[in-house]
Amino acid sequence: MNVLGRASSSWPIVLATMKRSFNTLRISPDPSLAHGIHVFHCPDQVGIVAKISECIASRGGNILVADIFVPHNKNVFYSRSEFVFDPIKWQRKQMNEDFLDLSKMFNAVKSLVRVPSVDPKYKIALLASKQDHCLVDLLHAWQDGKLPVQISSVISNHDRVGNTHVMRFLERHEIPYHYLSKSKEKNVEDEILGLVEDTDFLVLARYMQVLSGNFLKRYGKDVINIHHGLLPSFKGGNPSRQAFEAGVKLIGATTHFVTEELDGGPIIEQMVERVSHKDNLLSFIQKSENLEKQCLMKAIKSYCELRVLPYQHNRTVVF
């Protein structure tokens, strides 16, 4: 939806700033300014954009980027705004109250604000099986400050020996590693729940075990999975072999939310790469693994930056 089509008389001031990049403010000569992100999901009606703008401007804030989506013939409104503000003039507690008033005004489904420099980083646990490529990529990105999360633990159904790259990394950074073997005598999902109860969301970094609907309900928060295939095609096991045997010309990776339906949750991110008759199964797998790493990383960053919102029954809006 074109923002201009929804503008009110108070909106041109905001439009003048919209084209500026959010990143440019990070080198702003004024270090006193903080960055905020606000997402809004509510029934559509006249005046929402103006009120969001007024809420931020009334506290001295300045909108840098505004993204809006209003589906055709659907009574629903989505927005994501990035803004700068003086944290002394607009304190964090007051900000929460202001946006809460806004959500009540428009009967919002979701109204969430985040100040990355002030708010705690999202706390996550990584679940992985034997393959290391996604796990290692996430760990190194976290170490380099490129992944805006706190990794509380790594949980696996694979017993990694101590003197390996992954285990040395985890020991050096004091990240606990939990090997949970499967047996008839114990419920692995109960053990996982005990380890992740204080996390904000979970990431399945090639965790080759199906989480039950009961687990998802008890955990009650988002679980993000990487699938080494371009969903909805090639669901289930060995999608690279499935794609190879189907003679596809494009392979892909899909990051999605986990639901009770196997590989059927709302899609967050997808990436593709061209292949040809010259490729063999090994090159399919190598290209697929590279896509998986990139696709999972981008999805996690999008999630942490409040870019992902639920849309309809099984879709997402990703700003």
Side-chain angles (χ1 to χ4, degrees):
M1 180 71 178
N2 192 318
V3 175
L4 290 171
R6 306 188 59 79
S8 73
S9 59
S10 63
W11 188 237
I13 297 174
V14 178
L15 289 176
T17 69
M18 280 177 56
K19 294 183 180 180
R20 289 182 291 174
S21 167
F22 182 52
N23 292 329
T24 61
L25 269 294
R26 294 178 183 176
I27 56 173
S28 168
D30 188 352
S32 66
L33 295 180
H35 298 78
I37 306 169
H38 175 249
V39 293
F40 206 53
H41 173 197
C42 68
D44 189 31
Q45 61 176 285
V46 174
I48 303 174
V49 171
K51 286 298 182 181
I52 293 174
S53 174
E54 180 183 333
C55 176
I56 294 171
S58 66
R59 298 294 184 178
N62 188 25
I63 294 177
L64 307 177
V65 179
D67 289 304
I68 293 170
F69 174 56
V70 180
H72 182 61
N73 290 333
K74 304 286 185 183
N75 183 36
V76 62
F77 172 95
Y78 294 90
S79 74
R80 179 181 182 274
S81 307
E82 296 178 359
F83 57 95
V84 287
F85 67 99
D86 185 336
I88 296 177
K89 295 179 180 178
W90 198 9
Q91 296 186 5
R92 191 67 183 83
K93 182 179 178 182
Q94 183 63 56
M95 182 181 292
N96 281 340
E97 293 176 358
D98 290 343
F99 282 117
L100 178 60
D101 291 341
L102 193 68
S103 69
K104 291 178 179 178
M105 183 184 304
F106 292 104
N107 194 27
V109 177
K110 185 170 189 176
S111 177
L112 184 61
V113 62
R114 185 163 179 80
V115 180
S117 62
V118 175
D119 297 343
K121 291 182 178 180
Y122 287 109
K123 190 174 184 180
I124 71 171
L126 303 176
L127 279 70
S129 291
K130 187 174 183 179
Q131 290 181 295
D132 283 341
H133 59 284
C134 284
L135 175 61
V136 169
D137 190 63
L138 293 176
L139 291 174
H140 281 284
W142 168 81
Q143 177 182 246
D144 295 340
K146 298 176 181 177
L147 193 63
V149 298
Q150 176 189 347
I151 300 175
S152 65
S153 65
V154 174
I155 301 169
S156 180
N157 62 331
H158 176 65
D159 190 11
R160 288 173 169 80
V161 297
N163 191 28
T164 62
H165 174 69
V166 170
M167 296 306 291
R168 289 196 301 269
F169 183 100
L170 297 177
E171 289 171 5
R172 184 165 65 251
H173 292 283
E174 299 182 340
I175 299 174
Y177 182 84
H178 303 282
Y179 164 55
L180 304 181
S181 61
K182 197 172 183 179
S183 70
K184 296 180 180 179
E185 290 74 29
K186 61 181 180 179
N187 187 326
V188 173
E189 290 191 345
D190 285 342
E191 292 188 71
I192 297 174
L193 285 168
L195 295 170
V196 303
E197 59 183 358
D198 62 340
T199 57
D200 295 300
F201 65 97
L202 302 180
V203 175
L204 308 187
R206 293 306 307 277
Y207 183 64
M208 307 306 290
Q209 300 290 313
V210 176
L211 296 175
S212 70
N214 181 53
F215 174 91
L216 297 174
K217 290 175 184 176
R218 291 171 65 191
Y219 179 61
K221 288 168 273 190
D222 289 325
V223 181
I224 295 175
N225 182 48
I226 180 67
H227 178 79
H228 48 305
L230 195 58
L231 294 175
S233 299
F234 311 126
K235 292 184 178 182
N238 296 314
S240 292
R241 179 178 292 277
Q242 292 181 51
F244 176 70
E245 292 177 349
V248 301
K249 302 307 180 188
L250 288 172
I251 59 171
T254 303
T255 310
H256 65 96
F257 290 112
V258 177
T259 61
E260 291 188 51
E261 181 186 355
L262 179 64
D263 295 330
I267 293 171
I268 304 171
E269 183 62 57
Q270 291 186 299
M271 292 184 177
V272 298
E273 183 170 335
R274 183 164 292 280
V275 292
S276 76
H277 59 278
K278 296 179 181 179
D279 284 285
N280 55 33
L281 180 58
L282 179 60
S283 64
F284 261 53
I285 293 173
Q286 290 173 336
K287 290 179 179 180
S288 178
E289 289 183 352
N290 187 49
L291 288 174
E292 289 165 27
K293 293 188 291 185
Q294 297 177 61
C295 190
L296 182 57
M297 182 75 66
K298 186 174 181 181
I300 295 172
K301 287 182 177 179
S302 293
Y303 185 91
C304 293
E305 293 171 359
L306 305 187
R307 297 185 182 276
V308 184
L309 291 168
Y311 172 46
Q312 294 186 330
H313 171 64
N314 200 38
R315 300 171 66 183
T316 55
V317 171
V318 182
F319 285 119

